[in-house]
PDB file of all heavy atoms in Angstrom:
ATOM      1  N   ILE A1393      10.316  -1.920 -16.648  1.00  0.00           N
ATOM      2  CA  ILE A1393       9.350  -1.190 -15.737  1.00  0.00           C
ATOM      3  C   ILE A1393       8.217  -2.169 -15.395  1.00  0.00           C
ATOM      4  O   ILE A1393       7.493  -2.578 -16.287  1.00  0.00           O
ATOM      5  CB  ILE A1393       8.829   0.114 -16.394  1.00  0.00           C
ATOM      6  CG1 ILE A1393      10.010   0.970 -16.859  1.00  0.00           C
ATOM      7  CG2 ILE A1393       7.888   0.893 -15.496  1.00  0.00           C
ATOM      8  CD1 ILE A1393       9.603   2.215 -17.644  1.00  0.00           C
ATOM      9  N   THR A1394       8.091  -2.436 -14.128  1.00  0.00           N
ATOM     10  CA  THR A1394       7.237  -3.609 -13.767  1.00  0.00           C
ATOM     11  C   THR A1394       6.171  -3.212 -12.733  1.00  0.00           C
ATOM     12  O   THR A1394       6.301  -2.240 -11.986  1.00  0.00           O
ATOM     13  CB  THR A1394       8.114  -4.742 -13.226  1.00  0.00           C
ATOM     14  OG1 THR A1394       8.962  -4.249 -12.175  1.00  0.00           O
ATOM     15  CG2 THR A1394       8.956  -5.348 -14.307  1.00  0.00           C
ATOM     16  N   PRO A1395       5.118  -4.084 -12.613  1.00  0.00           N
ATOM     17  CA  PRO A1395       4.024  -3.875 -11.715  1.00  0.00           C
ATOM     18  C   PRO A1395       4.205  -4.553 -10.345  1.00  0.00           C
ATOM     19  O   PRO A1395       5.213  -5.235 -10.150  1.00  0.00           O
ATOM     20  CB  PRO A1395       2.822  -4.462 -12.482  1.00  0.00           C
ATOM     21  CG  PRO A1395       3.421  -5.621 -13.149  1.00  0.00           C
ATOM     22  CD  PRO A1395       4.842  -5.256 -13.489  1.00  0.00           C
ATOM     23  N   TRP A1396       3.164  -4.480  -9.545  1.00  0.00           N
ATOM     24  CA  TRP A1396       3.245  -5.074  -8.175  1.00  0.00           C
ATOM     25  C   TRP A1396       2.563  -6.372  -8.061  1.00  0.00           C
ATOM     26  O   TRP A1396       2.681  -7.068  -7.058  1.00  0.00           O
ATOM     27  CB  TRP A1396       2.633  -4.075  -7.169  1.00  0.00           C
ATOM     28  CG  TRP A1396       1.255  -3.612  -7.648  1.00  0.00           C
ATOM     29  CD1 TRP A1396       0.986  -2.545  -8.440  1.00  0.00           C
ATOM     30  CD2 TRP A1396      -0.002  -4.296  -7.462  1.00  0.00           C
ATOM     31  NE1 TRP A1396      -0.326  -2.457  -8.745  1.00  0.00           N
ATOM     32  CE2 TRP A1396      -0.974  -3.565  -8.160  1.00  0.00           C
ATOM     33  CE3 TRP A1396      -0.365  -5.472  -6.769  1.00  0.00           C
ATOM     34  CZ2 TRP A1396      -2.321  -3.977  -8.190  1.00  0.00           C
ATOM     35  CZ3 TRP A1396      -1.660  -5.855  -6.819  1.00  0.00           C
ATOM     36  CH2 TRP A1396      -2.651  -5.094  -7.503  1.00  0.00           C
ATOM     37  N   ASN A1397       1.749  -6.786  -9.045  1.00  0.00           N
ATOM     38  CA  ASN A1397       0.823  -7.896  -8.772  1.00  0.00           C
ATOM     39  C   ASN A1397       1.538  -9.250  -8.853  1.00  0.00           C
ATOM     40  O   ASN A1397       1.017 -10.201  -8.179  1.00  0.00           O
ATOM     41  CB  ASN A1397      -0.388  -7.835  -9.673  1.00  0.00           C
ATOM     42  CG  ASN A1397      -0.035  -8.091 -11.133  1.00  0.00           C
ATOM     43  OD1 ASN A1397       0.933  -7.527 -11.624  1.00  0.00           O
ATOM     44  ND2 ASN A1397      -0.892  -8.881 -11.798  1.00  0.00           N
ATOM     45  N   LYS A1420      13.031  -0.372 -13.075  1.00  0.00           N
ATOM     46  CA  LYS A1420      12.216   0.395 -12.126  1.00  0.00           C
ATOM     47  C   LYS A1420      11.093  -0.488 -11.592  1.00  0.00           C
ATOM     48  O   LYS A1420      10.084  -0.767 -12.328  1.00  0.00           O
ATOM     49  CB  LYS A1420      11.621   1.659 -12.726  1.00  0.00           C
ATOM     50  CG  LYS A1420      11.107   2.608 -11.639  1.00  0.00           C
ATOM     51  CD  LYS A1420      10.128   3.625 -12.082  1.00  0.00           C
ATOM     52  CE  LYS A1420       8.751   3.030 -12.193  1.00  0.00           C
ATOM     53  NZ  LYS A1420       8.206   2.471 -10.921  1.00  0.00           N
ATOM     54  N   SER A1422       7.810  -1.553  -9.183  1.00  0.00           N
ATOM     55  CA  SER A1422       6.626  -0.775  -8.831  1.00  0.00           C
ATOM     56  C   SER A1422       6.830   0.004  -7.542  1.00  0.00           C
ATOM     57  O   SER A1422       7.411  -0.510  -6.576  1.00  0.00           O
ATOM     58  CB  SER A1422       5.449  -1.733  -8.666  1.00  0.00           C
ATOM     59  OG  SER A1422       4.335  -1.055  -8.125  1.00  0.00           O
ATOM     60  N   GLU A1423       6.262   1.180  -7.501  1.00  0.00           N
ATOM     61  CA  GLU A1423       6.293   2.012  -6.292  1.00  0.00           C
ATOM     62  C   GLU A1423       5.458   1.380  -5.182  1.00  0.00           C
ATOM     63  O   GLU A1423       5.508   1.822  -4.024  1.00  0.00           O
ATOM     64  CB  GLU A1423       5.811   3.399  -6.570  1.00  0.00           C
ATOM     65  CG  GLU A1423       4.352   3.494  -7.016  1.00  0.00           C
ATOM     66  CD  GLU A1423       4.152   3.308  -8.519  1.00  0.00           C
ATOM     67  OE1 GLU A1423       5.019   2.671  -9.166  1.00  0.00           O
ATOM     68  OE2 GLU A1423       3.091   3.694  -9.029  1.00  0.00           O
ATOM     69  N   ARG A1424       4.671   0.338  -5.532  1.00  0.00           N
ATOM     70  CA  ARG A1424       3.867  -0.272  -4.463  1.00  0.00           C
ATOM     71  C   ARG A1424       4.654  -1.387  -3.720  1.00  0.00           C
ATOM     72  O   ARG A1424       4.161  -1.872  -2.718  1.00  0.00           O
ATOM     73  CB  ARG A1424       2.569  -0.791  -5.084  1.00  0.00           C
ATOM     74  CG  ARG A1424       1.489   0.293  -5.207  1.00  0.00           C
ATOM     75  CD  ARG A1424       0.455  -0.100  -6.154  1.00  0.00           C
ATOM     76  NE  ARG A1424      -0.817   0.574  -5.897  1.00  0.00           N
ATOM     77  CZ  ARG A1424      -1.783   0.788  -6.787  1.00  0.00           C
ATOM     78  NH1 ARG A1424      -1.570   0.448  -8.068  1.00  0.00           N
ATOM     79  NH2 ARG A1424      -2.873   1.340  -6.451  1.00  0.00           N
ATOM     80  N   ALA A1451       7.778   6.281  -8.924  1.00  0.00           N
ATOM     81  CA  ALA A1451       6.408   5.981  -9.467  1.00  0.00           C
ATOM     82  C   ALA A1451       6.405   6.431 -10.961  1.00  0.00           C
ATOM     83  O   ALA A1451       7.420   6.380 -11.631  1.00  0.00           O
ATOM     84  CB  ALA A1451       5.358   6.688  -8.630  1.00  0.00           C
ATOM     85  N   GLY A1452       5.200   6.845 -11.394  1.00  0.00           N
ATOM     86  CA  GLY A1452       5.019   7.197 -12.797  1.00  0.00           C
ATOM     87  C   GLY A1452       6.008   8.184 -13.329  1.00  0.00           C
ATOM     88  O   GLY A1452       6.605   7.978 -14.400  1.00  0.00           O
ATOM     89  N   GLY A1455       9.244   6.551 -14.012  1.00  0.00           N
ATOM     90  CA  GLY A1455       9.111   5.655 -15.159  1.00  0.00           C
ATOM     91  C   GLY A1455       9.081   6.499 -16.445  1.00  0.00           C
ATOM     92  O   GLY A1455       9.641   6.064 -17.487  1.00  0.00           O
ATOM     93  N   ALA A1456       8.415   7.620 -16.395  1.00  0.00           N
ATOM     94  CA  ALA A1456       8.350   8.479 -17.594  1.00  0.00           C
ATOM     95  C   ALA A1456       9.719   9.006 -17.978  1.00  0.00           C
ATOM     96  O   ALA A1456      10.109   8.995 -19.149  1.00  0.00           O
ATOM     97  CB  ALA A1456       7.381   9.634 -17.401  1.00  0.00           C
ATOM     98  N   HIS A1469       7.589  -2.773 -20.583  1.00  0.00           N
ATOM     99  CA  HIS A1469       6.664  -2.345 -19.551  1.00  0.00           C
ATOM    100  C   HIS A1469       5.568  -3.397 -19.326  1.00  0.00           C
ATOM    101  O   HIS A1469       4.914  -3.838 -20.309  1.00  0.00           O
ATOM    102  CB  HIS A1469       5.974  -1.036 -19.911  1.00  0.00           C
ATOM    103  CG  HIS A1469       4.903  -0.607 -18.944  1.00  0.00           C
ATOM    104  ND1 HIS A1469       3.549  -0.669 -19.292  1.00  0.00           N
ATOM    105  CD2 HIS A1469       4.944  -0.144 -17.713  1.00  0.00           C
ATOM    106  CE1 HIS A1469       2.846  -0.227 -18.280  1.00  0.00           C
ATOM    107  NE2 HIS A1469       3.649   0.070 -17.295  1.00  0.00           N
ATOM    108  N   VAL A1470       5.400  -3.810 -18.103  1.00  0.00           N
ATOM    109  CA  VAL A1470       4.278  -4.612 -17.757  1.00  0.00           C
ATOM    110  C   VAL A1470       3.452  -3.808 -16.770  1.00  0.00           C
ATOM    111  O   VAL A1470       3.972  -3.388 -15.769  1.00  0.00           O
ATOM    112  CB  VAL A1470       4.712  -5.947 -17.124  1.00  0.00           C
ATOM    113  CG1 VAL A1470       3.479  -6.823 -16.732  1.00  0.00           C
ATOM    114  CG2 VAL A1470       5.574  -6.736 -18.101  1.00  0.00           C
ATOM    115  N   GLY A1471       2.196  -3.521 -17.089  1.00  0.00           N
ATOM    116  CA  GLY A1471       1.403  -2.723 -16.228  1.00  0.00           C
ATOM    117  C   GLY A1471       0.084  -2.259 -16.875  1.00  0.00           C
ATOM    118  O   GLY A1471      -0.467  -2.958 -17.762  1.00  0.00           O
ATOM    119  N   SER A1472      -0.334  -1.090 -16.513  1.00  0.00           N
ATOM    120  CA  SER A1472      -1.652  -0.605 -16.920  1.00  0.00           C
ATOM    121  C   SER A1472      -1.642  -0.117 -18.390  1.00  0.00           C
ATOM    122  O   SER A1472      -0.598   0.294 -18.881  1.00  0.00           O
ATOM    123  CB  SER A1472      -2.116   0.475 -16.001  1.00  0.00           C
ATOM    124  OG  SER A1472      -1.253   1.610 -16.162  1.00  0.00           O
ATOM    125  N   ALA A1475      -0.451   3.614 -18.592  1.00  0.00           N
ATOM    126  CA  ALA A1475       1.017   3.821 -18.529  1.00  0.00           C
ATOM    127  C   ALA A1475       1.654   3.316 -19.821  1.00  0.00           C
ATOM    128  O   ALA A1475       2.558   3.958 -20.353  1.00  0.00           O
ATOM    129  CB  ALA A1475       1.590   3.103 -17.332  1.00  0.00           C
ATOM    130  N   ILE A1479       4.071   5.365 -22.414  1.00  0.00           N
ATOM    131  CA  ILE A1479       5.397   4.869 -22.770  1.00  0.00           C
ATOM    132  C   ILE A1479       5.526   4.743 -24.295  1.00  0.00           C
ATOM    133  O   ILE A1479       6.553   5.104 -24.851  1.00  0.00           O
ATOM    134  CB  ILE A1479       5.617   3.465 -22.048  1.00  0.00           C
ATOM    135  CG1 ILE A1479       5.857   3.731 -20.569  1.00  0.00           C
ATOM    136  CG2 ILE A1479       6.788   2.721 -22.714  1.00  0.00           C
ATOM    137  CD1 ILE A1479       5.827   2.498 -19.771  1.00  0.00           C
ATOM    138  N   GLU A1493       3.143  -5.314 -22.087  1.00  0.00           N
ATOM    139  CA  GLU A1493       2.233  -6.336 -21.608  1.00  0.00           C
ATOM    140  C   GLU A1493       1.258  -5.601 -20.637  1.00  0.00           C
ATOM    141  O   GLU A1493       1.639  -5.415 -19.464  1.00  0.00           O
ATOM    142  CB  GLU A1493       3.029  -7.425 -20.930  1.00  0.00           C
ATOM    143  CG  GLU A1493       4.149  -8.042 -21.788  1.00  0.00           C
ATOM    144  CD  GLU A1493       3.634  -8.718 -23.085  1.00  0.00           C
ATOM    145  OE1 GLU A1493       2.597  -9.418 -23.023  1.00  0.00           O
ATOM    146  OE2 GLU A1493       4.273  -8.556 -24.100  1.00  0.00           O
ATOM    147  N   ASN A1494       0.150  -5.247 -21.111  1.00  0.00           N
ATOM    148  CA  ASN A1494      -0.739  -4.378 -20.337  1.00  0.00           C
ATOM    149  C   ASN A1494      -2.028  -5.080 -19.901  1.00  0.00           C
ATOM    150  O   ASN A1494      -2.198  -6.260 -20.070  1.00  0.00           O
ATOM    151  CB  ASN A1494      -0.956  -3.041 -21.134  1.00  0.00           C
ATOM    152  CG  ASN A1494       0.350  -2.260 -21.243  1.00  0.00           C
ATOM    153  OD1 ASN A1494       0.438  -1.406 -22.099  1.00  0.00           O
ATOM    154  ND2 ASN A1494       1.267  -2.457 -20.350  1.00  0.00           N
ATOM    155  N   GLY A1495      -2.967  -4.249 -19.422  1.00  0.00           N
ATOM    156  CA  GLY A1495      -4.154  -4.812 -18.785  1.00  0.00           C
ATOM    157  C   GLY A1495      -5.059  -5.503 -19.793  1.00  0.00           C
ATOM    158  O   GLY A1495      -5.014  -5.300 -20.954  1.00  0.00           O
ATOM    159  N   CYS A1527      -3.167 -10.425 -14.289  1.00  0.00           N
ATOM    160  CA  CYS A1527      -3.427  -9.805 -15.615  1.00  0.00           C
ATOM    161  C   CYS A1527      -4.474 -10.615 -16.380  1.00  0.00           C
ATOM    162  O   CYS A1527      -5.330 -10.063 -17.075  1.00  0.00           O
ATOM    163  CB  CYS A1527      -2.191  -9.628 -16.436  1.00  0.00           C
ATOM    164  SG  CYS A1527      -1.236 -11.154 -16.647  1.00  0.00           S
ATOM    165  N   GLU A1624     -11.159  -3.132 -17.023  1.00  0.00           N
ATOM    166  CA  GLU A1624     -10.541  -4.071 -16.046  1.00  0.00           C
ATOM    167  C   GLU A1624     -10.871  -3.605 -14.582  1.00  0.00           C
ATOM    168  O   GLU A1624     -10.559  -2.434 -14.262  1.00  0.00           O
ATOM    169  CB  GLU A1624      -9.063  -4.040 -16.317  1.00  0.00           C
ATOM    170  CG  GLU A1624      -8.279  -5.022 -15.498  1.00  0.00           C
ATOM    171  CD  GLU A1624      -6.750  -4.948 -15.681  1.00  0.00           C
ATOM    172  OE1 GLU A1624      -6.197  -3.811 -15.643  1.00  0.00           O
ATOM    173  OE2 GLU A1624      -6.109  -5.975 -15.916  1.00  0.00           O
ATOM    174  N   PHE A1626      -9.838  -5.694 -11.795  1.00  0.00           N
ATOM    175  CA  PHE A1626      -8.593  -6.079 -11.102  1.00  0.00           C
ATOM    176  C   PHE A1626      -8.839  -6.330  -9.609  1.00  0.00           C
ATOM    177  O   PHE A1626      -8.076  -5.921  -8.747  1.00  0.00           O
ATOM    178  CB  PHE A1626      -7.517  -5.058 -11.335  1.00  0.00           C
ATOM    179  CG  PHE A1626      -6.163  -5.690 -11.573  1.00  0.00           C
ATOM    180  CD1 PHE A1626      -5.959  -6.674 -12.503  1.00  0.00           C
ATOM    181  CD2 PHE A1626      -5.036  -5.274 -10.798  1.00  0.00           C
ATOM    182  CE1 PHE A1626      -4.685  -7.206 -12.764  1.00  0.00           C
ATOM    183  CE2 PHE A1626      -3.762  -5.846 -11.002  1.00  0.00           C
ATOM    184  CZ  PHE A1626      -3.612  -6.804 -11.970  1.00  0.00           C
ATOM    185  N   LEU A1652      -6.098  -9.601 -24.326  1.00  0.00           N
ATOM    186  CA  LEU A1652      -5.117 -10.350 -23.579  1.00  0.00           C
ATOM    187  C   LEU A1652      -5.409 -11.869 -23.629  1.00  0.00           C
ATOM    188  O   LEU A1652      -4.670 -12.644 -24.221  1.00  0.00           O
ATOM    189  CB  LEU A1652      -5.037  -9.840 -22.119  1.00  0.00           C
ATOM    190  CG  LEU A1652      -3.831 -10.224 -21.355  1.00  0.00           C
ATOM    191  CD1 LEU A1652      -2.530  -9.669 -22.058  1.00  0.00           C
ATOM    192  CD2 LEU A1652      -3.856  -9.553 -19.922  1.00  0.00           C
ATOM    193  N   TYR A1702       6.980 -12.982 -22.743  1.00  0.00           N
ATOM    194  CA  TYR A1702       7.296 -14.201 -22.026  1.00  0.00           C
ATOM    195  C   TYR A1702       7.800 -15.222 -23.029  1.00  0.00           C
ATOM    196  O   TYR A1702       7.726 -15.063 -24.254  1.00  0.00           O
ATOM    197  CB  TYR A1702       6.038 -14.771 -21.339  1.00  0.00           C
ATOM    198  CG  TYR A1702       5.386 -13.736 -20.448  1.00  0.00           C
ATOM    199  CD1 TYR A1702       4.403 -12.904 -20.967  1.00  0.00           C
ATOM    200  CD2 TYR A1702       5.750 -13.589 -19.124  1.00  0.00           C
ATOM    201  CE1 TYR A1702       3.787 -11.937 -20.129  1.00  0.00           C
ATOM    202  CE2 TYR A1702       5.166 -12.677 -18.312  1.00  0.00           C
ATOM    203  CZ  TYR A1702       4.135 -11.841 -18.791  1.00  0.00           C
ATOM    204  OH  TYR A1702       3.611 -10.908 -18.003  1.00  0.00           O
TER     205      TYR A1702
HETATM  206  P1  NAD B1964       1.047   0.583 -13.682  1.00  0.00           P
HETATM  207  O1  NAD B1964       1.133   0.741 -15.125  1.00  0.00           O
HETATM  208  O2  NAD B1964       0.373   1.653 -12.885  1.00  0.00           O
HETATM  209  O3  NAD B1964       2.489   0.396 -13.064  1.00  0.00           O
HETATM  210  C1  NAD B1964       3.423  -0.461 -13.620  1.00  0.00           C
HETATM  211  C2  NAD B1964       4.735   0.221 -13.690  1.00  0.00           C
HETATM  212  O4  NAD B1964       4.672   1.309 -14.620  1.00  0.00           O
HETATM  213  C3  NAD B1964       5.173   0.780 -12.337  1.00  0.00           C
HETATM  214  O5  NAD B1964       6.529   0.537 -12.161  1.00  0.00           O
HETATM  215  C4  NAD B1964       4.853   2.249 -12.562  1.00  0.00           C
HETATM  216  O6  NAD B1964       5.569   3.092 -11.731  1.00  0.00           O
HETATM  217  C5  NAD B1964       5.160   2.479 -13.981  1.00  0.00           C
HETATM  218  N1  NAD B1964       4.541   3.660 -14.597  1.00  0.00           N
HETATM  219  C6  NAD B1964       3.357   4.207 -14.273  1.00  0.00           C
HETATM  220  N2  NAD B1964       3.096   5.260 -15.104  1.00  0.00           N
HETATM  221  C7  NAD B1964       4.158   5.343 -15.923  1.00  0.00           C
HETATM  222  C8  NAD B1964       4.456   6.241 -16.982  1.00  0.00           C
HETATM  223  N3  NAD B1964       3.690   7.261 -17.339  1.00  0.00           N
HETATM  224  N4  NAD B1964       5.648   6.070 -17.648  1.00  0.00           N
HETATM  225  C9  NAD B1964       6.473   5.006 -17.314  1.00  0.00           C
HETATM  226  N5  NAD B1964       6.219   4.208 -16.291  1.00  0.00           N
HETATM  227  C10 NAD B1964       5.075   4.321 -15.615  1.00  0.00           C
HETATM  228  O7  NAD B1964       0.355  -0.808 -13.398  1.00  0.00           O
HETATM  229  P2  NAD B1964       0.132  -1.522 -12.018  1.00  0.00           P
HETATM  230  O8  NAD B1964      -1.032  -0.991 -11.323  1.00  0.00           O
HETATM  231  O9  NAD B1964       1.408  -1.610 -11.236  1.00  0.00           O
HETATM  232  O10 NAD B1964      -0.142  -3.033 -12.460  1.00  0.00           O
HETATM  233  C11 NAD B1964      -1.472  -3.558 -12.726  1.00  0.00           C
HETATM  234  C12 NAD B1964      -1.681  -3.597 -14.215  1.00  0.00           C
HETATM  235  O11 NAD B1964      -0.686  -4.439 -14.818  1.00  0.00           O
HETATM  236  C13 NAD B1964      -3.000  -4.264 -14.520  1.00  0.00           C
HETATM  237  O12 NAD B1964      -3.629  -3.522 -15.572  1.00  0.00           O
HETATM  238  C14 NAD B1964      -2.573  -5.674 -15.028  1.00  0.00           C
HETATM  239  O13 NAD B1964      -3.534  -6.250 -15.941  1.00  0.00           O
HETATM  240  C15 NAD B1964      -1.265  -5.333 -15.722  1.00  0.00           C
HETATM  241  N6  NAD B1964      -0.472  -6.533 -15.823  1.00  0.00           N
HETATM  242  C16 NAD B1964      -0.369  -7.087 -17.102  1.00  0.00           C
HETATM  243  C17 NAD B1964       0.467  -8.267 -17.226  1.00  0.00           C
HETATM  244  C18 NAD B1964       0.632  -8.882 -18.618  1.00  0.00           C
HETATM  245  O14 NAD B1964       1.447  -9.755 -18.782  1.00  0.00           O
HETATM  246  N7  NAD B1964      -0.185  -8.451 -19.582  1.00  0.00           N
HETATM  247  C19 NAD B1964       1.080  -8.856 -16.145  1.00  0.00           C
HETATM  248  C20 NAD B1964       0.927  -8.238 -14.874  1.00  0.00           C
HETATM  249  C21 NAD B1964       0.138  -7.105 -14.738  1.00  0.00           C
END
Side-chain angles (χ1 to χ4, degrees):
I1393 303 175
T1394 52
W1396 49 268
N1397 68 316
K1420 196 199 81 58
S1422 170
E1423 63 276 20
R1424 278 161 153 155
H1469 172 252
V1470 179
S1472 64
I1479 287 169
E1493 306 296 320
N1494 293 158
C1527 54
E1624 184 182 51
F1626 220 53
L1652 200 55
Y1702 306 90

